[in-house]
Amino acid sequence: MTLVLLVLVLLVLGVVVAVVTGRISGGMAPATSTRPYRGLPEGPVLATDVDAVRFSLGVRGYRMDEVDAVLDRLREEIRERDEELAAWRSVED
């Protein structure tokens, strides 16, 4: 029994040393998804377009780069519409 335990400890120690020295590479592979990413379509953004947005799931939740891209696009669309609305209101006054 002692021999089996000693062999097991040496095996674990060997794996740890191999990982630390780089002989065994660790880390996670890039996140993948079985569902395609559907961001915002080109052109003006409609409410139905926002409803249709789907993000790929990563290891710890949604892919941040996809979420950031959609939020950046929405921010720009809203800014442009606010400027256009302000211009129309100034013409009415």
Side-chain angles (χ1 to χ4, degrees), residues 6-27:
L6 179 64
V7 170
L8 184 61
V9 168
L10 288 175
L11 181 63
V12 170
L13 184 62
V15 169
V16 169
V17 169
V19 169
V20 169
T21 60
R23 295 191 186 270
I24 297 177
S25 61

Side-chain angles (χ1 to χ4, degrees), residues 2 5-6 15 18 27 31 56 60-61 64 69 72 75 80-81 90-91:
T2 305
L5 185 58
L6 179 64
V15 169
S56 303
R60 292 174 296 276
M64 289 190 316
D72 290 345
R75 183 186 316 106
E80 289 174 2
R81 287 186 186 175
S90 68
V91 170

Side-chain angles (χ1 to χ4, degrees), residues 44-55:
V45 177
L46 304 174
T48 54
D49 296 331
V50 177
D51 291 338
V53 170
R54 296 292 176 259
F55 298 106

Side-chain angles (χ1 to χ4, degrees), residues 25-33 57-60 63:
S25 61
M28 294 187 291
T32 59
S33 174
L57 290 176
V59 176
R60 292 174 296 276
R63 300 266 320 255

